[in-house]
Amino acid sequence: MTPPARDPTGRLRAVDRAHVWHPFTQMAEWAAGEPVIIAAGEREFLIDTEGNRYIDGVSSLWCNVHGHRRPEIDAAIRGQLGRIAHSTLLGLASVPSIELAARLVAIAPKGLTRVFYSDSGATAVEIALKMAFQYWQQCGGRAETTRAGHAPPLRDGAAIPDTVGARHASPAPQPQPGSPGRRRGKPGRTKFVGLALGYHGDTIGAVSVGGIDLFHGIFRPLLFDGIRAPAPYCYRCPLEKKRETCRMECAENLEQILAARAREIAAVIVEPLVQGAGGMITHPAGYLRRVAEACRRHDVLLICDEVATGFGRTGRMFACEHEEVRPDLLCVAKGISAGYLPLAATLATERVYAAFLGDPSQARTFFHGHTYTGNALACAAGLASLEVFEKDLVLDRIGELSAHLASLLAPLADLPHVGEVRRRGLMVGIELVADRATRRAYPPEECRGRRVCEAARARGVWIRPLGDVVVLMPPYCISDESLARLVDAVRQGIEEVTAT
Ligand SMILES: *Cc1c(COP(=O)(O)O)cnc(C)c1O
C-alpha cells in the first residue's frame, strides 16, 4: 500500500496507529483519535507536522526545564558528539560524567557526595532502594570504620558524617579473627516505608514502594511488601482532620510506624514537598522536616525522590532545601538533562557509600549497572543545563514566574467546579470536583480532566492531566505572555467542560 505523499501527517498517523504502543494510554481509544504529531520545538512551544504551535504547558512531561532548542545545550551536545557519544562507566571513566558528578555534589543538599548514574527516574529509585537494602546488610563492617581513608573531603564538610553516621559508626564491631569477609550490619532492616499516593516510577521495585492503586494494583503479586503511611493530602485528608485544628497527624502516623518498627525498616522514601503523579499533592509546611527528624531519631535511611521536584521546580534547586533536609539518598532524573536525553542519578552520603567498600572477596560491591550509565551526551546536556541555571539566574526567574503564576491562578479558585488550586513554585494541580461543598469527585468515566486538556489544545496549549487534576508545569523560559495564555486557555477549558 503506497501512502499518499500529499498527506504526510495522515501517513504518520496510520503508521503510529499500526506500530507505536504509547505509555499510560488506552490504545483502543488512541486508535480512534487524531494524534498531534510533534515535528519541532522552540523555547516554550511545540510545533506539529502541520505547523501548529502549542505552548508546552507541562514541559514535555515535567523534564524540559529551559525550553526546546536551547542554543547552549544544543551546542554542548554537538560539541560532545564531535568527541564521543558514549563509552561505558564499567571499567572506564569519562570526562562529562566526572564533571557533572562534581557539579551535582556541589549543588545537592550537604552530605551527598557520591553519584551513581542511570537513565530514568525509575532506575534512580531502584538503585536507591537496592543501596539502602544492601547498606543494612553490610554496614558497620571494617571498611566503614576506616572511611576517612577512603573518602577525601570534596568540599567543606562533605565527607564528615552527620551525627547519625558518627553514632552509627563508632560502636562498629571488630572483624572476627579467621572470618575477614563476614558481613554484619542490621540485616533485619529490609522494609521500605512509602506514602499513599506516592509515585516513584514503573519498574517493579519503584512500583512496590508506590501508592497509586490504579497504576499498581494489578502487579501486586509481583511486588515486595512495604509499609504505607498516609498521604499528607489536606484537601482530602485520609485521617479526616480539618486544616484549622490538625496537628499533622499524618506525620505522627509515620513517626509511630518508625517508633514501632524501625528495626525492620531500611528506609523511608518520599517525594519532598509535592507528590507529583499522585495529583500534585502539596505537603503542609514542616511535614518533610518531621519525616526527616523521625528517620534520624530511629536511624532509618531517608530517600528523597526529587525526580519531579528537582532542578528548580519548587523554587529552590531541590525541594529538600525548603526544609533544610539532608537525605541519605537523593534520586534525580527528569530535569537533570533539561529534557534532552535520558539521564538520572542517585546521590549517596559517605556513610552509605562506605558500607560498600572492602576487599573484593567480601562481595560488598554494589552489583548494579546499566549499559548507558553515565552517557556522555546526556551528561554534557546536564552540565550545559546547570550552566544555564547559573548564567541566566534561572532560580530568580522561577521566583518571578511563580509569583506571576500565583496571581494568574487566583481567579480560578472561584470557578464553580474547581475544588482546589495547589501550587508550589512552578508545579500546579487544579482539582476539578462535581460538587465544591462536599468535594465530591466527578465519575472517572466522564474524563473531565482530559476533556479540559483537549479544550486547551484547541486554544494552542498542550497539557496532560492526572485524572481530574489539571496539571501545569511550564518551562522556566516561558514568557509572561505565554504564561498568561496558558492559564487563560485552562480557565476557558474548565469553564467549557464543567458547564454541564
Ligand atoms: C516521573 C517520576 C519518576 C519516574 O521517572 P521516569 O523517568 O519516568 O522513570 C519517579 N519519581 C517521581 C517523583 C516522578 O515524578
Side-chain angles (χ1 to χ4, degrees):
M1 217 170 49
T2 325
R6 275 166 293 123
D7 181 15
T9 298
R11 184 190 77 85
L12 288 167
R13 283 190 178 135
V15 177
D16 179 88
R17 232 172 255 138
H19 299 302
V20 182
W21 190 341
H22 290 259
F24 279 93
T25 301
Q26 177 40 256
M27 294 306 292
E29 249 173 21
W30 180 266
E34 295 267 276
V36 170
I37 300 174
I38 297 305
E42 184 179 35
R43 300 191 314 276
E44 70 266 43
F45 301 103
L46 295 166
I47 303 163
D48 73 11
T49 45
E50 297 177 322
N52 300 307
R53 291 166 81 87
Y54 306 87
I55 294 174
D56 187 355
V58 291
S59 299
S60 291
L61 246 298
W62 316 359
C63 64
N64 188 282
V65 294
H66 303 303
H68 300 280
R69 285 176 54 216
R70 184 82 191 198
E72 301 92 324
I73 303 173
D74 291 8
I77 293 171
R78 281 200 200 93
Q80 184 59 42
L81 205 46
R83 294 184 285 277
I84 187 169
H86 177 73
S87 58
T88 182
L89 290 202
L90 281 72
L92 289 175
S94 76
V95 177
S97 67
I98 293 169
E99 301 289 3
L100 180 60
R103 293 297 306 274
L104 289 173
V105 166
I107 61 171
K110 258 209 164 78
L112 296 161
T113 50
R114 303 288 171 167
V115 178
F116 194 102
Y117 289 110
S118 61
D119 43 38
S120 71
T123 55
V125 168
E126 295 288 340
I127 288 161
L129 298 175
K130 287 175 72 177
M131 279 179 177
F133 181 91
Q134 190 173 342
Y135 170 81
W136 289 113
Q137 297 304 303
Q138 59 197 36
C139 67
R142 184 177 53 83
E144 199 186 1
T145 60
T146 59
R147 104 183 77 202
H150 291 284
L154 296 181
R155 54 169 193 166
D156 282 359
I160 299 168
D162 59 24
T163 52
V164 172
R167 167 155 57 80
H168 179 77
S170 50
Q174 293 307 303
Q176 299 294 311
S179 60
R182 257 223 0 229
R183 298 194 187 128
R184 36 191 65 77
K186 297 179 178 171
R189 289 178 174 259
T190 58
K191 290 198 163 61
F192 293 90
V193 180
L195 298 188
L197 298 173
Y199 178 78
H200 303 288
D202 299 319
T203 54
I204 295 299
V207 168
S208 295
V209 294
I212 302 180
D213 288 327
L214 176 66
F215 302 168
H216 301 159
I218 188 150
F219 298 112
R220 187 114 306 135
L222 297 182
L223 307 182
F224 56 76
D225 258 2
I227 302 168
R228 199 177 282 179
Y233 185 5
C234 300
Y235 183 66
R236 298 185 185 283
C237 177
L239 305 171
E240 297 181 3
K241 302 293 165 191
K242 296 259 172 293
R243 272 200 179 104
E244 308 75 60
T245 51
C246 123
R247 287 176 292 120
M248 236 193 274
E249 280 84 349
C250 50
E252 236 168 67
N253 188 300
L254 195 143
E255 288 161 353
Q256 283 159 5
I257 290 171
L258 295 193
R261 302 179 66 179
R263 280 184 310 170
E264 36 173 327
I265 296 171
V268 171
I269 179 165
V270 292
E271 295 162 81
L273 264 58
V274 187
Q275 286 176 245
M280 293 295 145
I281 298 166
T282 49
H283 294 174
Y287 176 81
L288 177 65
R289 171 87 62 95
R290 273 180 69 170
V291 172
E293 284 170 1
C295 286
R296 293 294 170 241
R297 208 158 45 240
H298 298 288
D299 200 15
V300 164
L301 297 179
L302 175 64
I303 304 171
C304 282
D305 176 354
E306 294 235 23
V307 171
T309 52
F311 298 97
R313 203 35 87 178
T314 65
R316 307 286 292 266
M317 192 54 102
F318 297 102
C320 288
E321 295 171 33
H322 290 278
E323 304 204 350
E324 287 160 40
V325 162
R326 300 181 190 181
D328 301 283
L329 291 156
L330 176 76
C331 305
V332 291
K334 291 198 171 102
I336 188 175
S337 63
Y340 270 67
L341 287 157
L343 181 66
T346 307
L347 276 70
T349 58
E350 286 304 311
R351 175 199 178 188
V352 169
Y353 180 76
F356 291 76
L357 302 176
D359 188 89
S361 66
Q362 292 175 288
R364 298 167 75 102
T365 305
F366 187 50
F367 290 108
H368 185 108
H370 300 277
T371 305
Y372 286 101
T373 291
N375 175 263
L377 291 175
C379 289
L383 274 167
S385 169
L386 292 180
E387 273 158 32
V388 169
F389 267 104
E390 228 170 63
K391 177 174 68 73
D392 290 2
L393 305 176
V394 170
L395 289 174
D396 293 349
R397 175 63 183 151
I398 292 170
E400 281 171 27
L401 280 169
S402 301
H404 188 192
L405 186 55
S407 62
L408 291 168
L409 287 169
L412 272 66
D414 298 327
L415 296 178
H417 291 281
V418 168
E420 187 178 50
V421 180
R422 296 187 280 272
R423 185 189 62 79
R424 188 85 207 217
L426 293 179
M427 296 179 91
V428 175
I430 303 164
E431 183 163 342
L432 307 176
V433 288
D435 186 305
R436 256 158 76 104
T438 62
R439 306 188 176 185
R440 180 165 51 84
Y442 279 113
E445 62 275 14
E446 291 179 10
C447 301
R448 301 281 178 156
R450 199 177 73 195
R451 283 161 55 199
V452 168
C453 296
E454 285 162 3
R457 188 206 292 181
R459 293 167 172 85
V461 160
W462 188 78
I463 49 176
R464 187 175 163 89
L466 295 159
D468 284 343
V469 177
V470 178
V471 173
L472 305 183
M473 279 226 211
Y476 312 152
C477 70
I478 195 167
S479 67
D480 291 350
E481 187 207 338
S482 293
L483 193 68
R485 268 189 56 207
L486 169 64
V487 175
D488 204 46
V490 168
R491 185 184 48 76
Q492 289 179 37
I494 292 172
E495 283 172 344
E496 183 182 306
V497 169
T498 59
T500 52

